Amino acid sequence: MHSAMQFLADNPYILLFLTIGLSVWVGKFSIKGYGLGSVAAAIVVGCLLATLGASFGVKFHLDDFAKSLLYYLFMYGVGLRVGPSFINALNKDSINYAILAIIAPVLGLAIVVLGAQFFGLPQGAAGGMLAGSQTMSAAIGSAEQAISSGTLALHEGMTKEQVDAMIALSYGITYIWGTVGIILLCKYLPRIWGVNAKEAALQFEKEHGVPNVDDAGITAFHPFDVRAYRVVNDAPVGKTIKEFRARFPEYQVVNVERGGQLLGADEKTVLQKDDVVALGGNLESMTANMGVIGPEVPDAKALNIPLDQAEILVMNKETMNIPLKEFRSHPLAGQIQLQRIERGGVPIPMGLETKLQKRDVLFVTGLQTAVDKAGQIFGVIARHSSATDLLTLSAGMILGFLIGLIEVPAFGAAVGLGNAGGLLLSGIIVSSISSRLRFFGNTPNAARNILEDLGLIGFVAIVGINAGAELLTQLTGAIALKIFIVGFLASTIPPIIVWAIGFHIMKINPALLMGATAGARSHSGPAREAAKEVGSSVPWLGFPVGYAVSGVLLTVFGYFAMMLAH
């Protein structure tokens, strides 16, 4: 075993990716739906490997440059993800959700700082408790930044390795309840308040026409369809496509075949007998007037219509705050299919009363000409691309590091965002600009997920590996109990206060408030469980804005927890 441990110590890249792989594997295990997840597992696996190595006299240590680089990539990825919805939080329609998302992190920070001071916990505990109790693993990095940047001096007798170990230890102790607690609270707070959240969700669905699509998965139902019919009835003969549409506005003629030749769908085209007409429309309309033209035919040529796929960023004021049902009579209806709407990077339920907001992203499929017109009507169009704009990525990283160099005098010292904070801000700036323009800075979700997932899991794995050997020297039952108590309070109290304020003062619909409470803790798991609890997708509508705002705050609050606690 000593030889195996020494081999890992001599080959740090193998050690790192072994830890990452084991972390992902361990993170997949769950008990009744509750598990560590990959990030928390990275701390556990890293510490266990380091402790095992230490027991055989082998000390593991991975390069701090690699650790910092991974964390910086993660921070930039977070900025890219939350940028558009973070900006959306500044508008009046989202202000209540943004306020709740500020209250929860601030309360969590205050409880952690006061708890660390009250119990006299070792340096590093405050940062780890904040990260674990708020289930914001990124706060580990900002907590470490307080030490590695030299802003916070080490206490006498403490080493950097010991502080890192305490951060990791505190995170691990508080993370479990931090995850389970917020899920239980989001599910059961309505019951504690004596509120029927399921009825509230149903009422919201009726008022806003929002169906429950949370667990739709792959379905055979398609709301829109294109079918071909042969003209045999006299009614459409001699009518132009424009006249036919005036009589049947629920249909869209997308193609006409005559004598084996495709004529397209010019509105001046006059329909004749034996023409094959390809009609587009919603499924209900397609089955309501079957036979108005003639029998349906499987004409592959008429139906061989090139389709386009694009993302449309909503920017035109004329299309905002208008229910989707108002667009059903538009000439484009039947030519394009709205597949989903994302708000702040999170899909939201679509209903007849759903109103578009600025910087919503519409994912549409349909005729290329129709998609182009829709882009002009709603805002800015961007077709799907799997390529990453590495030039913008590089420029964004450089901008972040430059922002991190800026320091201003405060509290008798020079204070700045540092590299991590600069990259977070840079990511927000870049994604906000690209979300407006959509023709530069493309970073597909898969690429962004690599930045976030590999960056964070790799960073946390290195923290665990480097800290593991020091854990045995600091872990005592008394310290662990104190850390758990503080973490329990920091996990439990803020969501309850957020719920009370949202329910009694802001008068938010309880089903929406369940999602808003989850968003205020920047955790998607509780929103998912809340949606299952009420059997509705409505909680997801309250989630995106809080998710973005609290995600940014909690990420940087690890730094403040370290500074304020000591």
Side-chain angles (χ1 to χ4, degrees):
M1 183 61 75
H2 178 273
S3 299
M5 295 296 104
Q6 190 60 53
F7 174 81
L8 292 177
D10 294 337
N11 295 274
Y13 297 114
I14 295 177
L15 172 61
L16 173 59
F17 283 98
L18 173 65
T19 306
I20 292 174
L22 288 174
S23 301
V24 173
W25 180 63
V26 171
K28 292 180 178 179
F29 290 97
S30 63
I31 300 176
K32 295 185 177 180
Y34 301 108
L36 283 175
S38 300
V39 179
I43 279 281
V44 175
V45 172
C47 288
L48 287 176
L49 285 175
T51 303
L52 182 62
S55 67
F56 286 93
V58 178
K59 183 177 180 179
F60 293 153
H61 183 82
L62 295 182
D63 185 46
D64 286 339
F65 177 83
K67 181 177 73 173
S68 297
L69 177 61
L70 289 169
Y71 182 63
Y72 293 155
L73 289 172
F74 164 74
M75 290 295 284
Y76 184 71
V78 170
L80 292 177
R81 171 169 50 84
V82 305
S85 52
F86 187 79
I87 300 300
N88 278 348
L90 303 178
N91 66 52
K92 62 181 181 179
D93 295 328
S94 304
I95 192 64
N96 283 343
Y97 298 131
I99 291 173
L100 295 179
I102 293 172
I103 291 173
V106 170
L107 286 174
L109 174 64
I111 292 171
V112 162
V113 169
L114 293 174
Q117 293 175 341
F118 178 78
F119 286 117
L121 293 173
Q123 199 171 20
M129 289 189 299
L130 180 86
S133 65
Q134 309 303 303
T135 57
M136 180 49 66
S137 305
I140 294 175
S142 59
E144 281 205 329
Q145 289 290 311
I147 297 294
S148 60
S149 65
T151 307
L152 181 63
L154 293 172
H155 289 177
E156 186 176 352
M158 290 288 290
T159 65
K160 183 180 181 300
E161 288 75 18
Q162 289 175 325
V163 174
D164 289 347
M166 184 53 63
I167 292 174
L169 174 66
S170 304
Y171 170 84
I173 292 174
T174 56
Y175 181 86
I176 297 298
W177 177 251
T179 300
V180 176
I182 185 61
I183 291 176
L184 295 177
L185 285 170
C186 284
K187 285 180 64 174
Y188 298 119
L189 273 172
R191 297 187 189 182
I192 297 173
W193 250 255
V195 175
N196 191 325
K198 190 169 186 176
E199 287 186 1
L202 290 173
Q203 183 63 31
F204 187 91
E205 288 177 1
K206 291 178 182 178
E207 293 175 357
H208 296 83
V210 177
N212 179 30
V213 297
D214 191 53
D215 295 316
I218 299 176
T219 171
F221 175 77
H222 295 277
F224 295 92
D225 203 357
V226 179
R227 297 182 178 182
Y229 302 89
R230 186 176 300 280
V231 178
V232 297
N233 296 337
D234 293 331
V237 175
K239 300 287 193 305
T240 64
I241 290 177
K242 183 177 182 179
E243 291 171 334
F244 178 83
R245 279 231 45 193
R247 173 67 179 84
F248 298 101
E250 64 270 31
Y251 300 126
Q252 182 67 45
V253 177
V254 295
N255 206 359
V256 176
E257 182 189 355
R258 180 177 299 162
Q261 299 294 319
L262 296 178
L263 305 181
D266 189 289
E267 63 179 13
K268 297 179 181 179
T269 300
V270 178
L271 299 179
Q272 300 179 7
K273 275 207 172 184
D274 289 326
D275 283 352
V276 175
V277 179
L279 291 184
N282 64 58
L283 193 60
E284 182 180 357
S285 298
M286 297 297 286
T287 56
N289 298 304
M290 293 183 68
V292 67
I293 294 178
E296 184 174 1
V297 293
D299 194 307
K301 191 170 185 178
L303 292 173
N304 188 24
I305 305 164
L307 298 181
D308 192 15
Q309 186 177 31
E311 302 170 13
I312 300 175
L313 180 72
V314 178
M315 295 298 293
N316 294 342
K317 294 182 179 179
E318 296 78 11
T319 61
M320 299 176 195
N321 297 314
I322 299 175
L324 288 180
K325 66 180 181 182
E326 298 297 326
F327 296 101
R328 289 188 298 178
S329 58
H330 195 279
L332 291 180
Q335 295 190 56
I336 62 171
Q337 178 179 345
L338 178 59
Q339 296 174 315
R340 73 178 189 273
I341 302 175
E342 284 191 3
R343 182 169 296 161
V346 178
I348 65 169
M350 295 188 299
L352 295 178
E353 298 294 334
T354 299
K355 296 180 180 180
L356 300 179
Q357 295 182 8
K358 193 172 185 178
R359 282 183 284 275
D360 281 352
V361 180
L362 312 179
F363 291 77
V364 300
T365 301
L367 300 177
Q368 183 169 347
T369 55
V371 171
D372 290 337
K373 290 179 182 178
Q376 297 171 3
I377 293 169
F378 289 96
V380 183
I381 193 169
R383 284 175 175 79
H384 177 73
S385 172
S386 59
T388 300
D389 188 342
L390 292 178
L391 178 60
T392 304
L393 174 63
S394 300
M397 294 290 289
I398 292 171
L399 174 63
F401 288 123
L402 291 175
I403 293 174
L405 294 175
I406 300 173
E407 294 183 339
V408 296
F411 308 107
V415 178
L417 291 176
N419 288 336
L423 287 164
L424 178 64
L425 180 58
S426 173
I428 291 174
I429 293 172
V430 170
S431 63
S432 298
I433 294 175
S434 63
S435 71
R436 287 173 177 267
L437 303 180
R438 305 298 280 193
F439 57 73
F440 93 104
N442 182 53
T443 306
N445 287 343
R448 193 197 64 215
N449 288 341
I450 282 290
L451 291 178
E452 290 192 62
D453 295 344
L454 180 60
L456 184 58
I457 296 174
F459 164 77
V460 172
I462 295 176
V463 170
I465 291 169
N466 291 349
E470 300 290 338
L471 286 179
L472 296 179
T473 64
Q474 299 192 69
L475 182 60
T476 67
I479 290 178
L481 179 60
K482 292 174 182 178
I483 289 173
F484 177 80
I485 292 172
V486 176
F488 178 86
L489 295 176
S491 299
T492 308
I493 293 176
I496 294 175
I497 293 178
V498 162
W499 172 272
I501 293 173
F503 184 76
H504 293 291
I505 298 177
M506 297 179 177
K507 308 298 182 182
I508 299 175
N509 179 292
L512 288 173
L513 187 54
M514 294 169 82
T517 304
R521 269 285 305 276
S522 198
H523 197 327
S524 60
R528 187 180 304 109
E529 293 300 317
K532 292 180 180 179
E533 174 72 11
V534 300
S536 169
S537 299
V538 171
W540 284 110
L541 293 172
F543 178 75
V545 169
Y547 177 65
V549 175
S550 62
V552 171
L553 291 179
L554 288 171
T555 296
V556 300
F557 273 7
Y559 178 91
F560 290 103
M562 296 287 287
M563 299 297 294
L564 295 173
H566 302 282

